[in-house]
Amino acid sequence: MLPWKRVLRPLTALLFAAAVATVPAATAHASSAPSTGWNDYSCRPSAAHPRPVILVHGTLGNSVDNWLSLAPYLEDRGYCVFSLDYGQLSGVPVFYGLGPIDKSAEQLSAYVDKVLSATGAAKADLVGHSQGGMMPRYYLKFLGGAAKVNALVGLAPDNHGATISGLTNLLPYFPGASDLIKATTPGLADQIPGSAFLTKLNAGGDTVPGVHYTVISTKYDEVATPWRSQFLTGSDVHNVLLQDLCSLDLSEHVAIGLFDRIAFHEVANALDPAHATATSCASAFS
């Protein structure tokens, strides 16, 4: 049998590679986020859509690549749309969301203030993919975000951790593996079920008063598993399984955030529930 030290680093590499495999190859550096269209700080919310929408990317994503489809989708529907980068590690370009998640929430807090100041809006709506749907809950619960946010919409959020189809269950068999992951990519370590971060986040209830929560999940998710763990419990929560809306939808963890227009239709419904329309397979063409 191989000594544990000889398999420790390959296991860590495997976990990291599995996460990388869930995001597309970067097509643009995050610093090139559009300054017209979305991330247009001269945009003023309309009476129809009075709150800016802030998009929060997932692990190994960035403010551009994660939103090449959803940002224009929302912009075309009259929203002021913004996106940020967070969780950067020194020496790691383009692939973000790897830093300690409580620190990432602080970055989100500063960014929400920036957007509200620029747009003159009293509150914002947040839409996040994967970690980006979970991390804002820390901001809402511990950093005063509930007073500044109307709604949080999570696309495949790992609200109670991500087992990566059970891969993280192997960690106890490799002494020191968890410590190595925490030391090198703390944002990944924080998302392992049972982490100190998740324990703190979910203690005392999943939600805070005054915020509308929507979770949009797919049963084909291979990262935030089991997929039912994405759902929240609370008095103002709407949990959605895509396949209940369209049984033909085969989106997994990446596709639900990157290009699934059925999921996008549910996002639009969550942002403007007063004018919501039924989501179906036909929403893919709307």
Side-chain angles (χ1 to χ4, degrees), residues 117-201:
S117 177
T119 60
K123 290 188 175 184
D125 289 325
L126 307 180
V127 179
H129 180 208
S130 191
Q131 181 189 161
M134 173 270 288
M135 176 270 281
R137 292 178 49 227
Y138 189 95
Y139 162 59
L140 299 177
K141 194 169 187 178
F142 299 110
L143 303 178
K148 302 174 184 179
V149 172
N150 169 72
L152 169 61
V153 184
L155 291 159
D158 55 339
N159 283 313
H160 299 95
T163 69
I164 316 179
S165 297
L167 189 58
T168 60
N169 295 332
L170 299 176
L171 289 172
Y173 295 99
F174 300 92
S178 295
D179 290 338
L180 179 60
I181 294 171
K182 186 171 184 178
T184 56
T185 52
L188 293 181
D190 284 345
Q191 295 176 77
I192 296 173
S195 70
F197 173 83
L198 287 172
T199 299
K200 177 180 179 179
L201 175 65

Side-chain angles (χ1 to χ4, degrees), residues 38-39 52-67 70-71 74 81-87 96-97 101 104-109 111-112 115 124-140 149 151-158 253 257-258 267:
W38 104 75
N39 282 345
V53 177
I54 297 175
L55 304 178
V56 190
H57 65 74
T59 306
L60 297 167
N62 62 55
S63 62
V64 179
D65 298 334
N66 214 140
W67 308 120
L70 181 56
L74 294 175
V81 181
F82 301 86
S83 61
L84 78 155
D85 291 315
Y86 70 86
Y96 302 143
I101 298 182
S104 294
E106 292 176 5
Q107 291 179 274
L108 174 62
S109 177
Y111 191 77
V112 170
V115 170
D125 289 325
L126 307 180
V127 179
H129 180 208
S130 191
Q131 181 189 161
M134 173 270 288
M135 176 270 281
R137 292 178 49 227
Y138 189 95
Y139 162 59
L140 299 177
V149 172
L152 169 61
V153 184
L155 291 159
D158 55 339
H253 188 78
L258 265 61
V267 170

Side-chain angles (χ1 to χ4, degrees), residues 14-15 17-24 129-130 156-158 161-168 217-230 243 250-257 259:
L14 179 61
L15 286 168
V20 171
T22 67
V23 298
H129 180 208
S130 191
D158 55 339
T163 69
I164 316 179
S165 297
L167 189 58
T168 60
S217 303
T218 170
K219 68 180 182 181
Y220 299 112
D221 201 306
E222 73 280 35
V223 177
T225 50
W227 64 263
R228 288 181 179 84
S229 69
Q230 300 173 19
Q243 285 72 33
L250 301 179
S251 290
E252 40 65 71
H253 188 78
V254 175
I256 193 175
F259 52 77

Side-chain angles (χ1 to χ4, degrees), residues 242-253:
L242 278 182
Q243 285 72 33
D244 287 342
L245 306 176
C246 175
S247 61
L248 301 177
D249 194 321
L250 301 179
S251 290
E252 40 65 71
H253 188 78

